[in-house]
């Protein structure tokens, strides 16, 4: 199993996603002799998972059933253990596009955090690219290394435990892109410039507060970055539901015809829609936005090394 290479069969040691519904799923490490409890009953790894194909429908001990899915960066973002606040697919998608990432790209990231963006970056630059990710917190860095190893992507990522604002990324003039998600990104702009390739490298900084954005933009201009722009991605979810509306009473057809000067005996007016219109209700599908939803996540500031 690998997050960047699809496998057909569930193997001992794999990370799989137990899917109970769109709002209910969780990751599980497949191990021989282990069981997993769900609201539908027990899943026995040895008999119910190992050797089965990903996507299989598994019946639990109480008679209910679940699907076992192959892990992807998108599913991992929805189910990973939170060590820090994470980036979600809405921001991740625009980051990978605006940084112009592709297979073979070299990317520097700080900080690693819970690894949500890291897995998406690794999948994007695989199989020949590489991610250099820096995490200030030692325990989080060690946990990230462990997860990358379990997910079969350790050959595509290098995890470093250090302060990027003081010590940089540990590489020079090789990165196609740099991503910053730290409290004071303006202090790391100089190191980001050093890590980027000689010309044309892209940088992105994620900050929740506009004051952070202002200081970061000033630092980017000071270090000679061009095409500096900031954007915010807002996700608005709609519920599709059936609603009923009353048909308006437009009056009798004869009265309408006389008031407008039409001859009711005129055969061209026979069968008019107004003649057969009766007051009642009509049902139709409508999209309605949620009353409460996640709005602001953060500001994304992009720039290009001149």
């Amino acid at each position: 199993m690998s997050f960047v290479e699809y496998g057909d069969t569930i193997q001992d040691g794999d990370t799989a996603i137990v899917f109970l519904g769109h709002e209910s799923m969780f990751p599980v490490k497949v191990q021989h002799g282990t069981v997993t409890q769900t609201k539908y009953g027990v899943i026995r790894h040895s008999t119910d998972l190992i050797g089965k194909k990903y996507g299989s429908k598994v019946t639990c001990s109480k008679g209910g059933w679940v699907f076992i899915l192959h892990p992807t960066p998108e599913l991992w973002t929805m189910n990973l253990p939170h060590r820090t606040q994470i980036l979600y697919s809405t921001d991740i998608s625009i980051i990978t596009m605006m940084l112009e990432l592709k297979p073979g790209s070299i990317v520097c990231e700080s900080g690693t955090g819970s690894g949500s963006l890291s897995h998406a970056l690794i999948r994007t630059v695989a199989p020949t690219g590489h991610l250099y990710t820096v995490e200030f917190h030692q325990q989080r860095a060690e946990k990230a290394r462990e997860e990358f190893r379990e997910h079969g992507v350790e050959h595509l990522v290098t995890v470093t435990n250090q302060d990027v604002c003081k010590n940089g990324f540990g590489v020079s003039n090789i990165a196609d892109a740099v991503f910053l998600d730290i409290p004071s990104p303006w202090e790391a702009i100089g190191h980001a410039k050093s890590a980027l390739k000689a010309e044309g490298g892209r940088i992105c900084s994620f900050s929740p507060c506009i004051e952070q954005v202002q200081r970061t933009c000033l630092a980017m201009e000071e270090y000679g970055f061009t095409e500096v722009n900031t954007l915010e991605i807002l996700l608005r979810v709609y519920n599709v539901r059936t609603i009923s509306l009353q048909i308006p009473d437009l009056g009798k057809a004869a009265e309408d015809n006389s008031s407008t000067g039409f001859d009711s005996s005129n055969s061209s007016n026979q069968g008019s829609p107004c003649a057969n219109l009766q007051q009642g209700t009509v049902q139709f599908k409508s999209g309605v936005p949620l009353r409460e939803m996640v709005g602001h996540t953060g500001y994304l500031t992009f720039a290009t090394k001149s």
Side-chain angles (χ1 to χ4, degrees):
M1 185 277 303
S2 171
F3 271 54
V4 297
E5 296 177 1
Y6 185 82
D8 289 330
T9 307
I10 304 171
Q11 304 291 336
D12 188 16
D14 283 2
T15 297
I17 305 297
V18 179
F19 181 89
L20 292 82
H22 289 289
E23 302 297 330
S24 179
M25 64 184 90
F26 60 89
V28 61
K29 184 174 181 179
V30 179
Q31 293 178 310
H32 185 78
T34 303
V35 297
T36 296
Q37 295 282 352
T38 75
K39 63 181 180 181
Y40 300 126
V42 172
I43 301 174
R44 296 174 176 83
H45 293 201
S46 300
T47 57
D48 297 334
L49 298 185
I50 297 176
K52 300 290 182 64
K53 286 190 175 183
Y54 279 106
S56 297
K57 184 178 180 179
V58 174
T59 302
C60 304
S61 61
K62 292 182 180 179
W65 48 266
V66 298
F67 288 105
I68 308 300
L69 306 181
H70 192 285
T72 64
E74 292 80 8
L75 289 174
W76 186 244
T77 291
M78 298 171 63
N79 296 280
L80 57 78
H82 285 229
R83 298 183 289 272
T84 61
Q85 182 60 268
I86 69 170
L87 291 179
Y88 290 92
S89 298
T90 307
D91 291 307
I92 292 174
S93 59
I94 196 70
I95 290 170
T96 55
M97 185 191 75
M98 295 293 288
L99 289 182
E100 302 173 2
L101 301 182
K102 58 186 182 298
S105 296
I106 306 297
V107 186
C108 292
E109 175 197 24
S110 182
T112 312
S114 300
S116 173
L117 176 64
S118 303
H119 283 81
L121 294 176
I122 291 170
R123 197 262 306 270
T124 303
V125 305
T128 55
H130 200 83
L131 172 66
Y132 295 89
T133 182
V134 178
E135 174 56 52
F136 175 80
H137 194 277
Q138 182 178 359
Q139 291 181 333
R140 288 201 293 261
E142 293 173 354
K143 185 61 177 177
R145 290 193 190 97
E146 179 184 341
E147 286 181 349
F148 292 143
R149 182 171 59 255
E150 291 179 352
H151 298 166
V153 296
E154 71 277 7
H155 61 292
L156 296 170
V157 57
T158 299
V159 182
T160 305
N161 172 221
Q162 64 186 28
D163 186 351
V164 70
C165 296
K166 295 180 179 179
N167 306 113
F169 293 93
V171 297
S172 299
N173 301 320
I174 65 169
D176 297 289
V178 169
F179 176 79
L180 298 174
D181 184 6
I182 54 178
S184 53
W186 55 90
E187 296 181 1
I189 298 300
H191 294 296
K193 183 177 181 179
S194 299
L196 287 168
K197 59 187 181 181
E199 187 176 356
R202 295 279 286 166
I203 183 174
C204 175
S205 174
F206 177 90
S207 297
C209 301
I210 196 63
E211 291 81 6
Q212 294 170 303
V213 174
Q214 292 171 334
R215 296 188 65 174
T216 302
C217 289
L218 291 174
M220 288 178 174
E221 293 178 354
E222 180 182 350
Y223 280 95
F225 283 90
T226 59
E227 299 179 334
V228 180
N229 66 89
T230 299
L231 53 89
E232 180 183 23
I233 308 300
L234 299 177
L235 178 65
R236 192 176 189 187
V237 179
Y238 279 78
N239 275 339
V240 177
R241 66 184 187 185
T242 301
I243 64 174
S244 298
L245 289 180
Q246 189 173 21
I247 299 174
D249 183 3
L250 302 179
K252 295 182 179 179
E255 294 176 355
D256 292 342
N257 291 340
S258 61
S259 63
T260 55
F262 289 148
D263 183 2
S264 60
S265 62
N266 191 332
S267 59
S268 63
N269 289 333
Q270 299 300 320
S272 171
C274 293
N276 298 321
L277 186 61
Q278 297 181 353
Q279 191 171 4
T281 60
V282 61
Q283 292 185 334
F284 62 93
K285 297 288 185 180
S286 176
V288 181
L290 301 179
R291 293 185 177 182
E292 295 182 2
M293 66 185 76
V294 177
H296 172 78
T297 58
Y299 299 102
L300 294 169
T301 301
F302 296 91
T304 303
K305 183 177 179 180
S306 178

